[in-house]
Amino acid sequence: MTIQLVVGLGNPGPEYEKTRHNAGVWFINELASRYNISLRPEKKYAGLYGKGYIGEHLVHLLIPTTFMNRSGQAVAPLANFYKIAVEDILVAHDELDIPPGVCKIKKGGGHGGHNGLRDIIARMANNKDFYRLRIGIDHPGHKDRVTGHVLGRAPQQEQQLIEQAIDEASRCFEIWMKDDLKKAQNRLHSFKAQ
């Protein structure tokens, strides 16, 4: 079992680039720079797309250039074109229920109110069996503050924790590709940026 497609969720445009909701995009950018994979605009997948080898496996990288709530418009055409099964997809996204500095890998589950996941599930014929890399951004404490929180920038110290966790997640992704998921999860799930 190897991941063939890694998707990083976020919103397009410079005003969103550094907002917490773009944590998934930061993960793809980290993988792309670490493995020398260039990402280019690709109209038919509505995103920035590139492919290259991680471990011995060819991996497709995608950053949808749609808005978050339309992420599936980018993911579904690419997965269909390359005949990539839902369970061979990893979607990296910001996660309110996890503190900054922590990332978790999980398979399947609902969308938990995340509009990017909601749209992907809807466009993949309601199949929820893709993997998720949940990048902790913390919860602002009240549901009325969530939108401002995810669309806001993290304070510098918090941002550094998120970046350290993303760095660790990219190392663990390589372990997953070379060895197995369990080994990658054990290492990633015991990591907490300081």
Side-chain angles (χ1 to χ4, degrees), residues 99-172:
V102 175
C103 287
K104 304 268 185 210
I105 298 167
K106 84 172 212 181
K107 184 178 189 221
H111 54 71
H114 194 290
N115 289 330
L117 295 178
R118 180 185 281 132
D119 194 58
I120 292 169
I121 291 167
R123 288 175 188 270
M124 300 303 269
N126 283 322
N127 188 333
K128 305 180 176 96
D129 284 339
F130 53 90
Y131 285 87
R132 298 100 193 274
L133 174 69
R134 303 160 70 216
I135 302 165
I137 61 163
D138 225 348
H139 199 286
H142 193 279
K143 66 179 191 328
D144 294 346
R145 294 212 292 269
V146 165
T147 303
H149 181 73
V150 299
L151 295 178
R153 292 167 176 236
Q156 195 183 353
Q157 190 190 356
E158 211 174 281
Q159 183 66 30
Q160 284 169 348
L161 295 176
I162 295 169
E163 285 168 12
Q164 282 174 46
I166 287 172
D167 176 79
E168 179 68 8
S170 67
R171 294 166 198 272
C172 292

Side-chain angles (χ1 to χ4, degrees), residues 59-116:
V59 178
H60 302 270
L61 299 181
L62 176 68
I63 297 172
T65 47
T66 58
F67 278 93
M68 180 67 88
N69 59 350
R70 296 274 174 268
S71 299
Q73 280 179 3
V75 179
L78 195 152
N80 292 337
F81 184 78
Y82 288 104
K83 302 192 174 16
I84 297 170
V86 173
E87 41 285 341
D88 295 337
I89 299 173
L90 172 67
V91 177
H93 65 88
D94 56 308
E95 176 57 70
L96 292 163
D97 297 331
I98 297 176
V102 175
C103 287
K104 304 268 185 210
I105 298 167
K106 84 172 212 181
K107 184 178 189 221
H111 54 71
H114 194 290
N115 289 330

Side-chain angles (χ1 to χ4, degrees), residues 25-43:
V25 172
W26 306 337
F27 177 69
I28 297 293
N29 287 333
E30 177 64 35
L31 285 182
S33 83
R34 188 177 290 260
Y35 299 101
N36 220 357
I37 298 170
S38 52
L39 299 170
R40 294 191 179 84
E42 183 57 80
K43 271 204 179 72

